[in-house]
Amino acid sequence: MMRYYLILDIGGTKTSGALFTEDGKIVDDYVHVAPSKTFLGEEAVYQNTKDVLLHIINHFSLKKEEILGIGVGSPGPLDAEKGVIIHAPLMGWHNFPIVERLEADFGMKVMLDNDGNLGALAEVRMGVAMGLKNVIYMTVSTGCGGGIVVNGEVYRGSSSGAGEVGHMSIMPEGLKCPCGSVGCFELYASGTAINHRLKEDMKKGIQSEAFELAEFKTENLNGKVLNEAAELGDAYALEVYCKEGYYLGIGIANQFNFFNPDTIVLGGGVTKAKKFFHEALMETLKERCIQPISDSSVRYSVMNDRVVLYGAYCLIKEYTDKKQ
Amino acid sequence: MMRYYLILDIGGTKTSGALFTEDGKIVDDYVHVAPSKTFLGEEAVYQNTKDVLLHIINHFSLKKEEILGIGVGSPGPLDAEKGVIIHAPLMGWHNFPIVERLEADFGMKVMLDNDGNLGALAEVRMGVAMGLKNVIYMTVSTGCGGGIVVNGEVYRGSSSGAGEVGHMSIMPEGLKCPCGSVGCFELYASGTAINHRLKEDMKKGIQSEAFELAEFKTENLNGKVLNEAAELGDAYALEVYCKEGYYLGIGIANQFNFFNPDTIVLGGGVTKAKKFFHEALMETLKERCIQPISDSSVRYSVMNDRVVLYGAYCLIKEYTDKKQ
């Protein structure tokens, strides 16, 4: 009998489910994606989450004894050990015992961790940082999240709060952050920061292909039009990415100087434009890092939006392997 | 027969030696301090270092079999595993194999690590962070150095470069740092930064008891006169410390958000004025940290200038204990 892992990636806009083989392949390369139906209340959102797993079970006509366990990724803050999502306002979840609930409903072991930690785990076990000991994973998309691996294992910190790389301040008297701090890294380097910059600059009347591609509508301004403009050699778009590399470099240099990792792995939507910002990023790192920086100091995830699924697979697999 | 550890703390201005009992007491509370005689060349400086150990051996009329091993602390960068001091310009040491040399000269095991790591080790084994798992130690004096403990063990990073907390940039377009970066934390929060601020402000004609205590001579401006002025309730001195707490808070909040430690332990000369900056520090942390900050999140070392000696003792003791 073949045996499998059920894997779930809960996100703010969509929730994905997949079936993994014991050796970490997604069965049939099939990932079921459902809208997360947020704001419907704690129970309705949980039901929706459960339905994603049930869909996978039905799709593959799985029997319970074929499933070794369930791995779940979710945005933080959460308590991985207790299996509780501490605060997920979009879901209406506050101290929601998701592991207990899923274990009761499916009758099998469930393991939970947050996006950043699972991204780091996936990259170190199966990705571009495979086998390395000390690694930072950072996702650059709506915000900047992260995860830390020390000696080959996920480091969660003292209250499951490690890896909040997006909230290291790089401009202490700069922009105010909703987190309460000032000048947080993600206010300068995230996809949201780039979009904000585009809007401001379009208002100012700056010329760019990006604005034409967006038909001068703020709602059309995003990474896609910026990327297209950069592909066309648009000077403004290239400058925005150069600045992105610079800001990323500042925040990443701080992590290098504190933590001296083997490598940092970058993922998330913004890294699709890596060819436009990589040079500025490396230049900034070489200028600002105490330890030497090489080409392999920065790597880009190739798992794309499946990185959390892979991480959740590694999490539950390592648990069940240890139990055997 | 009683057995002991020989402990050495090599510094840029002075080198200290002491004899430790097996259970971590300094014998007779006797610490021999000698000037470091820098700039005399590699061999002369090494000889001087060796003399500090020989002094201790003679002072206590020690026999070789009474000594279990030698623990050495030195400023970095160094390679703790190889026992090599990579770069100590004051000493004229470049890739200097100090462990091999001392082992040859004294015929016993020698262990080496840098100030920051030994500070962290000392605090976690015997100090105000005793028994805690994830701890940052930071010294605030001429510069800002640090050490990191993960799961109760010193974390050195991938090339012995972890804990360079002083070179995390908090003002990326601010002051230029000799390290090559810009806006490094230590340029704002170290003792040197405070002294620099005093000089600038005295030039500007700002009124303060501190300047009167220094007889308006820049060479007399230091932490001592500032502290005395603050004790007298001088408004300017209190404001300087308030700013110090603010800058410390920014740099420490970044470390909390990245690393989520149980606590950070502060040592170094500047912390003698803790009562004047502690409140501003805690306020800044509470504003800027993602995880809750409590009174025990920040602790002050009570080992003062013996912290590296204690750390070097812990290092060699743990090595010999494991061997037994």
Side-chain angles (χ1 to χ4, degrees), chain B residues 74-97:
Chain B
S74 164
L78 55 77
D79 186 325
E81 268 178 52
K82 291 186 186 146
V84 170
I85 291 175
I86 294 166
H87 187 60
L90 289 174
M91 312 293 181
W93 288 345
H94 299 279
N95 294 315
F96 187 73

Side-chain angles (χ1 to χ4, degrees), chain A residues 77 134 136 148-151 155-165 167-173 179-183 246-247 250 253-262 287-292, chain B residues 77 134 136 148-151 155-165 167-173 179-183 246-247 250 253-262 287-292:
Chain A
N134 305 313
I136 298 169
I148 303 170
V149 165
V150 172
N151 285 326
Y155 170 80
R156 297 189 173 81
S158 291
S159 50
S160 285
E164 285 286 0
V165 296
H167 297 284
M168 298 169 83
S169 178
I170 61 167
M171 302 277 183
E173 278 141 34
C179 83
S181 187
V182 180
Y246 168 71
Y247 285 129
I250 292 166
N254 283 350
Q255 297 172 52
F256 267 93
N257 288 342
F258 179 78
F259 188 67
N260 185 215
D262 296 299
E287 211 177 87
R288 289 168 181 262
C289 289
I290 301 275
Q291 294 288 319
Chain B
N134 306 313
I136 298 168
I148 302 170
V149 165
V150 172
N151 284 327
Y155 170 81
R156 295 187 174 83
S158 292
S159 51
S160 285
E164 285 287 0
V165 296
H167 297 285
M168 297 170 85
S169 178
I170 61 166
M171 302 277 183
E173 278 139 35
C179 82
S181 187
V182 181
Y246 168 71
Y247 284 129
I250 291 167
N254 283 351
Q255 297 172 53
F256 266 95
N257 287 342
F258 179 78
F259 188 67
N260 185 216
D262 295 300
E287 210 176 86
R288 289 168 181 263
C289 289
I290 302 273
Q291 294 288 320

